[in-house]
Amino acid sequence: MKILILGAGKMGSFFCDLLSFDHDVAIYDCRPERLRFVYNCRRFADASEASDFAPGMVINAATVKYTLQAFQDILPYVPEDAILSDIASVKRGLPEFYASAGHPFVSTHPMFGPTFASLSNLANENAIIINEGSPEGIDFFRKLYGKLKLHVEEYSFREHDRTIAYSLSVPFASTLVFGSAMKPQPAPGTTFKRHMAIAKGLMGEDDYLLSEILFNPDSIEQLDRIRASLDYLRKIVADRDSSAMAEYLAKVRSNIREENVL
């Protein structure tokens, strides 16, 4: 298949490397300097170059802020039957775009951002495939993610947003609170250093991405859960209530058992 990738960032380059040995791959980025680091593919610095390439699938790997714009820029130059796909972690606006674009589509969310995951070993990572797309597109990504040994769940757009509010909003918010309350430590312990490494990794993400994930309407419910739990923990500590603390710790251990985590 001829596959056009939009965006030569970390994820765009990853998909280029992954697909270019089995497919005819081209990658487009409006910043030509980013194309210096992609190989075994065609490199386009102008959207119009996609016209002669005539891809059968377009994989949009642009950052969340520019996902919709990247689609709009390339649409005039791809065949009407080309499958449009995105890997965005925030799906806001995409269902409406796909409904109006007139193309077959598939939307997925590889949940292994390059900040924390090892892209060379993804056996313990997860991905979501939206089950509202074209059967051909869904089958393509089932096989692709299966090849990577990812654990795959299939959700509707709505189910995806609810899941992301839990799986991303909770750790993002918790890490932001840690970072906002911390003070420099001349002799930090191991736990502190590990939390700090996570915080630094998160702060390396794009501000727009962080904001959009937290602006998910379902995030408020998760933030309220965090606040209620923190208020309860504060009361336990203030009261020096050993019995309540034991129950609280037992509940935490139950929540984080391996069998309860994807």
Side-chain angles (χ1 to χ4, degrees), residues 2-4 24-26 42 44 49-57:
K2 287 187 174 182
I3 298 175
L4 174 63
D24 186 358
V25 173
R42 310 185 197 205
F44 299 158
E49 295 179 79
S51 183
D52 290 335
F53 181 59
M57 175 179 283

Side-chain angles (χ1 to χ4, degrees), residues 112-235:
F112 48 86
T115 298
F116 295 115
S118 169
L119 297 182
S120 62
N121 182 15
L122 298 171
N124 294 318
E125 303 295 339
N126 305 291
I128 293 172
I129 296 176
I130 302 299
N131 57 20
E132 300 175 34
S134 77
E136 182 182 356
I138 290 173
D139 185 61
F140 177 89
F141 278 96
R142 277 185 189 141
K143 292 177 179 176
L144 181 64
Y145 292 156
K147 182 179 178 181
L148 295 173
K149 303 187 185 311
L150 295 169
H151 172 83
V152 176
E153 293 285 341
E154 297 190 19
Y155 298 142
S156 67
F157 277 113
R158 184 71 189 97
E159 289 168 336
H160 169 271
D161 288 349
R162 282 198 293 261
T163 299
I164 295 311
Y166 173 76
S167 64
L168 291 184
S169 296
V170 170
F172 280 22
S174 301
T175 301
L176 288 172
V177 170
F178 165 80
S180 67
M182 63 149 289
K183 296 180 180 179
Q185 298 290 317
T190 301
T191 302
F192 183 93
K193 287 190 287 186
R194 288 179 177 176
H195 277 278
M196 179 60 72
I198 292 173
K200 287 181 177 179
L202 186 67
M203 290 297 92
E205 296 284 2
D206 177 73
D207 285 3
Y208 184 87
L209 172 64
L210 298 177
S211 299
E212 286 299 294
I213 287 173
L214 290 170
F215 289 164
N216 180 337
D218 294 299
S219 293
I220 292 297
E221 179 184 351
Q222 304 303 328
L223 293 175
D224 286 344
R225 291 176 64 243
I226 293 173
R227 182 172 61 181
S229 181
L230 188 59
D231 286 344
Y232 181 54
L233 177 60
R234 186 185 187 284
K235 183 179 185 305

